[in-house]
Amino acid sequence: MNSLRGKRATHTPWLPLAVLAAACVAGPGSAAEEADGPSPQQPSPQQPSPEQHWPQWRGPAGSGVAEAAGVPVEWAPDKNIAWRTPLPGPAGATPALWGGRLFLTTADGDDLKLQAYAADTGQLAWERLVTSGDRSVFGGEGNYASPSPVTDGRHVFAAMGNGALACFTLDGDPVWSADLDQRYGPLEIQFGYTSTPVLRGGRLYVQMIHGEGDPATHEARVVCLDSATGDELWAVPRVTGASRECEHAYTSPLLYGRGPTAELLTHGADYLIAYAPADGRELWRLGGMNPPGNYQPTFRFVASPAAGGGLIVVPTAKGGPVFAVRPGGRGDVTGTGRVAWSLPRGTPDVPSPLVHEGLVYLCGEKGTLTCVDAATGGVLYRERFSRQLHRASPVLAGGRLYLTSREGVTTVVAAGREFKQLAENDLGEAIGASPVMVGQTIYLRTFDALYAIREAGP
């Protein structure tokens, strides 16, 4: 078993690859949060209000719910496009936005880079090399630029599929770097490491759910790093007994709640496991997703959990079950009263769930949308809205759901207990990243370009 001793991060004196002039706008404010749901980033002295930033993959609260008002319902290559900036290579990573700058990771030939763009013009502000050695995976569906960047308004953090992890200032100055593959042992995961770190209060939480396929060996780790230095604060093995490809997970962690009742949720290898963010103690775990009597050896998890309204919604894989569990448990909560309800079938395989105002939305990878009553688990509707594959997770803004397909079509559906499709918008470029919605603008990252989409002025 690999040692869990802390090792100091490597501080690498990177040089700029390109530095171009760009506008940078900052604004004060703070993010609101749901008292019992996932939490936004810790405030910083220059923190904008929630409608002005998007610090992580699923928005300020990590929920996929945007505070943006007035974002467009309709667009096309020749309609409501404020700007389009070509990108040097493909990636499925969702951009982060802070202080008027968009941050994204990308492949550029063999190189893997972090780039910053001006949100108002799309002009490149700077780019930095994080690592080299990109690899295309899953028939070109993804590559090593799959984890999304995350920022706290002081620093921006970028992980790559080979285990490289780096921290920069918002102006691109290098702060520290680390190699997770070297520090915690080789990352053994079939389609590369894709997990996006989660950040709060000066701590960066990283999950590595992987393994060689033998349940007797314990390669998986959950780690907490000092975000200012990269130094390890704690690291724990994540032991589940999963075997074969089930040891591999492509999910991202989620922080639920605040203070002494906060929980760090990690999903994969047949279990959802909650840890204490302060010290890494395991609080509780939920199993029953891949029962031993009917064990599926390729039941790897891709969709991450979502939370809201006092529930954590837990997807699985390959059309399998969905669970809703109440936080605050202890020990193994499988089959106990902590499980509020479950659906035997219908999980989203890749897009993560979204919970809002008493409803759970499940976007199936093959173009179905299921709406579930969060209180009862009753299915309100299940509608097919597309025949295309869906990899991006849904985003809700202004009472509307935005569902983006791999082929570049975003379907807009009214939020609520009845299905109502409002629009279908085709950019004609492959998309794996989730939408970013700030102010009155939608930012979409395709495999070819970065878009800003807003209503055209009079």
Side-chain angles (χ1 to χ4, degrees):
M1 182 179 296
N2 300 312
S3 170
L4 294 183
R5 277 191 320 229
K7 299 180 184 178
R8 188 164 185 85
T10 303
H11 296 259
T12 306
W14 287 290
L15 294 175
L17 295 174
V19 181
L20 302 177
C24 179
V25 181
S30 63
E33 76 172 86
E34 226 181 316
D36 58 357
S39 304
Q41 302 292 350
Q42 284 284 81
S44 73
Q46 283 81 41
Q47 186 181 44
S49 58
E51 67 273 10
Q52 295 175 311
H53 70 160
W54 196 269
Q56 57 190 344
W57 163 47
R58 300 207 73 193
S63 63
V65 177
E67 298 289 337
V71 295
V73 176
E74 297 181 344
W75 63 87
D78 59 354
K79 180 180 180 180
N80 288 336
I81 304 298
W83 52 258
R84 178 188 183 274
T85 298
L87 295 175
T94 298
L97 188 151
W98 196 285
R101 276 190 179 167
L102 286 154
F103 304 95
L104 61 83
T105 52
T106 188
D108 187 355
D110 191 54
D111 292 336
L112 294 160
K113 297 177 179 179
L114 175 68
Q115 296 184 318
Y117 291 87
D120 57 349
T121 65
Q123 184 179 13
L124 179 67
W126 54 260
E127 65 176 11
R128 301 291 182 268
L129 176 68
V130 176
T131 186
S132 295
D134 184 36
R135 181 166 73 94
S136 178
V137 299
F138 204 64
E141 284 266 4
N143 58 17
Y144 277 0
S146 291
S148 301
V150 59
T151 181
D152 59 2
R154 297 182 179 91
H155 300 104
V156 58
F157 304 84
M160 298 295 181
N162 60 4
L165 177 64
C167 172
F168 299 88
T169 68
L170 298 196
D171 291 323
D173 298 325
V175 179
W176 58 261
S177 68
D179 189 329
L180 301 176
D181 189 86
Q182 290 185 3
R183 187 185 286 194
Y184 299 106
L187 288 166
E188 300 181 72
I189 184 164
Q190 184 170 0
F191 299 116
Y193 180 70
T194 65
S195 183
T196 296
V198 65
L199 180 65
R200 180 192 290 174
R203 293 182 169 213
L204 189 70
Y205 299 94
V206 179
Q207 69 173 36
M208 294 164 278
I209 304 178
H210 67 112
E212 61 187 17
D214 183 353
T217 60
H218 305 140
E219 295 85 7
R221 298 285 184 272
V222 181
V223 175
C224 176
L225 305 179
D226 185 320
S227 66
T229 66
D231 292 342
E232 181 187 290
L233 299 178
W234 57 256
V236 295
R238 191 179 187 278
V239 180
T240 67
S243 67
R244 290 169 282 185
E245 194 183 339
C246 298
E247 283 199 287
H248 302 176
Y250 304 92
T251 63
S252 296
L254 175 69
L255 280 165
Y256 184 96
R258 285 202 175 274
T261 62
E263 299 176 350
L264 175 65
L265 305 174
T266 67
H267 188 43
D270 299 336
Y271 282 86
L272 175 74
I273 303 180
Y275 295 90
D279 55 17
R281 287 176 296 111
E282 182 176 323
L283 301 174
W284 57 269
R285 61 173 56 200
L286 173 72
M289 304 175 201
N290 194 8
N294 187 30
Y295 197 75
Q296 300 182 51
T298 60
F299 207 61
R300 78 294 171 269
F301 296 161
V302 182
S304 299
L311 288 179
I312 300 162
V313 177
V314 186
T316 57
K318 302 187 176 184
V322 179
F323 297 84
V325 60
R326 299 181 181 91
R330 290 295 181 268
D332 191 336
V333 303
T334 308
T336 72
R338 305 303 303 183
V339 180
W341 49 263
S342 64
L343 302 178
R345 302 289 298 169
T347 186
D349 190 64
V350 179
S352 298
L354 190 148
V355 186
H356 183 64
E357 293 185 350
L359 299 176
V360 177
Y361 299 96
L362 308 172
C363 177
E365 70 161 346
K366 296 182 179 179
T368 59
L369 181 64
T370 303
C371 180
V372 181
D373 187 315
T376 67
V379 174
L380 300 174
Y381 67 74
R382 180 176 285 118
E383 295 283 345
R384 179 174 292 280
F385 63 90
S386 171
R387 296 285 175 181
Q388 299 178 343
L389 288 176
H390 284 67
R391 305 305 195 196
S393 291
V395 173
L396 189 148
R400 299 182 291 268
L401 287 163
Y402 291 76
L403 313 167
T404 302
S405 79
R406 175 67 170 73
E407 286 76 6
V409 176
T410 300
T411 303
V412 185
V413 175
R417 302 172 74 88
E418 297 181 358
F419 180 84
K420 182 180 180 182
Q421 183 170 320
L422 303 176
E424 189 174 87
N425 308 296
D426 189 357
L427 282 180
E429 297 176 14
I431 298 178
S434 301
V436 172
M437 300 193 181
V438 176
Q440 296 181 320
T441 304
I442 299 171
Y443 298 95
L444 279 179
R445 188 260 179 83
T446 75
F447 274 30
D448 300 319
L450 179 63
Y451 284 83
I453 301 168
R454 68 175 71 98
E455 295 282 355

